Amino acid sequence: MIWRRLLLSAALLIAAVLAFLYWPGLPLALDTPPELHLSVAESFGPEAGATANVVGIEPFMETLDYATPERFEAKLRGYLDAARSRGWLSANTIVMFPEHVGTWLVAANQKPRALRAGSTASAMIPIIAWNLPSFLKNYYLFHDADRAAAAVFRSRAEDVATMTGDIFGRLAHDYGVHIVAGSTLLMTAGIYDGDALSYGHGPLYNASFMFGPDGRPVEDAVRKVHPIPSETGFTTKGRPDLLPVFKAAGRTVGVLVCADSWFEDTTKVLADQGADLLLVPSFLTGPWDAPWGGYVNDTPESDAWRGDIGRISEGEAWQKYALPAQAAAHNIRWGMNVFLKGNIWELKGDGHALVVADGVLHTGTAGADTGAIYNLWLP
């Protein structure tokens, strides 16, 4: 009798665990189109005599925007339509989205429970459950410092790579522009046969791509060289000597993913290849006006920056050490840095766009609570 009770208790416990893991959650309300929360649109540089332009988009992303690839694409189209209505899109336009805008497609087409979760950690539970064989294979095959997070992203890497390529390629084609697709966490990021953005098993990179007006990715992936501590547990460093430049809109374009814009080793590689326009997609989760805590993880050779720790704000440090400073040091007179905004689970984006127009720095007015689009006219 006692054994029967124990077996029944064990069966009930297993049933409860399985119910917890595989309960899909309540249906999502996806009938209404995604909201843009767009309240800032600013333009810099003279339009007269301009031969090209850069449009930087700071989308205000919410967790439900990642429910399906169709909803994600509709959200981005809303910002592109807003830019087109202002006359900012043409055959000589480069559009840039921010860092990690594509990373959270890891939740696309998953059960509603993942999208309703209160944090990224709790969202991973149903994603793991519904992709368990792939998760377990990647968990035991690779030995990243953060094996669980790495295995989650690897288990969805093929689908995320396909969605990223399809969506941004279609947007570039439909609007007839070049697009810097922010960044996405992908396995073996690159451009392979058939324009695939990943070929399968291997290291995870925080990677950006440029898509041409024909809808195809060009050159190679831009793999982040200086991951920040929140990424290092599952992200592999790219090599600065492999950073590509792109020919677009009559310019030689260099792309630096977020923290890479703070370093000489990355900027110099692009400058040596003739880059005359720097584009920086970023994602900042700390407050823009908080005291600066200094470089994290990687640090430059000089220690001169240490005197500014706690003395200047995060935003002032971005202006003093990142894109504006690196562009000036390498005589690059044009550039733009945009930030991902919104509320994605517990992650809240902040930051103010930085625009370098003929060597002059402009700061965007949109902070953490709104989406924005910025235009830079190029001679």
Side-chain angles (χ1 to χ4, degrees), residues 69 72-73 102 105 108-109 156-170 184-187 190 194-199 209 211 215 217:
F72 175 77
E73 182 175 340
L105 286 168
N109 293 330
R156 297 280 292 136
E158 183 177 352
D159 288 342
V160 172
T162 298
M163 288 185 281
T164 299
D166 288 349
I167 291 168
F168 286 103
R170 190 159 45 243
T184 305
L185 192 63
L186 293 176
M187 192 159 50
D195 295 335
L197 305 187
S198 169
Y199 72 73
F209 294 87
F211 291 83

Side-chain angles (χ1 to χ4, degrees), residues 240-328:
D241 60 305
L242 295 181
L243 289 173
V245 295
F246 305 93
K247 299 293 185 180
R251 294 279 174 168
T252 302
V253 184
V255 177
L256 295 168
V257 178
C258 200
D260 287 0
S261 65
W262 292 64
F263 291 88
E264 166 76 11
D265 64 341
T266 47
T267 312
K268 186 176 186 303
V269 166
L270 301 180
D272 288 348
Q273 295 180 77
D276 56 11
L277 171 65
L278 290 180
L279 300 180
V280 182
S282 295
F283 182 31
L284 175 68
T285 56
W288 185 251
D289 57 0
W292 183 50
Y295 279 82
V296 292
N297 197 30
D298 296 337
T299 59
E301 292 182 6
S302 168
D303 284 340
W305 54 275
R306 295 188 185 277
D308 280 333
I309 295 177
R311 189 182 66 83
I312 64 176
S313 69
E314 179 75 21
E316 290 169 331
W318 277 88
Q319 297 176 50
K320 184 172 182 178
Y321 293 105
L323 168 66
Q326 291 296 331

